[in-house]
Amino acid sequence: MTVSAPVPIPPGAPVWVLLEGASDVAAVRVVAERTGLPLQERGVELVDMHGATNIRRHLLAAAAAPGSPRVLGMCDAPEAPFFVRALRRVGCAVGSPDDLPWWGFQVCDRDLEDELVRHLGEEATRTVLEELGLTQRFAKLAQQPAWVKGSFHERVHRFAGAASGRKELMAGALAAALDLTALPRPLAGLLDAISRSGPTFEELRGAVSGPDRAAEGHS
């Protein structure tokens, strides 16, 4: 198989963590560091795919990589069916979006920023905005007619994506404020998958069944 464009991942990296964007990379890196998970020592490469539409290209690259890396990742719920189709096209017998965690891909209810804000709550999120020097800017935008409707959570979510680089900045800061004993489910699941051993991508592609029939060999 060939890849349509170069994928900037070290060919010897034993674990590829495929993430939709830079903000996801920032949040995962921060939480991994806080929990003491040594990404570099484990050969873990956090990959910014620059959008969910590039998932198939990265899966093809993983299939062609020397030594067959483990492939993990995280996606937004709206993109989950797209990930299922991409995995199927490269030989993984994924049944439905509900099966994605078994195949190494955690699913955020909406997206990771939504998970972070929901877990922190309004007070802690406001503290993060203050620490980043964004309180006044957020307040000004929140007073505009287009921003008035919706909850605080919704306005923060929109605010994060309203300026270049802000989403990544806020994701890292919000992740740094999380209670490590109560991480969002997708983050906790991804870190757990990174920390333990598992099948390579080639082994997964060769599996004849998903979680129901193959669970004994993937526990």
Side-chain angles (χ1 to χ4, degrees), residues 86-112:
L87 283 161
R88 286 175 179 168
R89 286 171 182 167
V90 297
C92 295
V94 185
S96 71
D98 291 340
D99 296 336
L100 282 173
W102 187 89
W103 294 91
F105 287 84
Q106 306 300 316
V107 182
C108 299
D109 287 342
R110 177 178 178 183
D111 58 24
L112 185 55

Side-chain angles (χ1 to χ4, degrees), residues 150-171:
S151 65
F152 169 81
H153 183 154
E154 185 68 26
R155 291 197 298 272
V156 169
H157 189 273
R158 293 170 61 197
F159 178 72
S164 177
R166 184 184 292 164
K167 193 174 183 181
E168 181 180 0
L169 175 68
M170 287 183 58

Side-chain angles (χ1 to χ4, degrees), residues 22-32 112-113 116 168 171-172 175-176 187:
S23 61
D24 298 325
V25 171
V28 172
R29 191 179 303 282
V30 166
V31 175
L112 185 55
E113 287 72 31
L116 296 174
E168 181 180 0
L187 267 179

Side-chain angles (χ1 to χ4, degrees), residues 126 129-130 133-149 152 155-156 158-159 162 166:
R126 286 189 182 278
L129 291 173
E130 178 68 28
L134 295 174
T135 297
Q136 291 184 351
R137 188 166 298 177
F138 173 70
K140 288 180 180 179
L141 286 176
Q143 292 169 2
Q144 296 178 7
W147 290 70
V148 170
K149 294 182 179 180
F152 169 81
R155 291 197 298 272
V156 169
R158 293 170 61 197
F159 178 72
R166 184 184 292 164

Side-chain angles (χ1 to χ4, degrees), residues 33-71:
E33 290 174 352
R34 292 184 62 209
T35 59
L37 181 59
L39 298 178
Q40 186 173 0
E41 292 178 18
R42 290 177 177 267
V44 177
E45 191 72 21
L46 302 182
V47 182
D48 175 5
M49 296 192 297
H50 301 284
T53 58
N54 291 317
I55 177 63
R56 184 168 178 266
R57 182 165 66 91
H58 284 79
L59 292 176
L60 288 172
S68 186
R70 290 182 63 210
V71 176

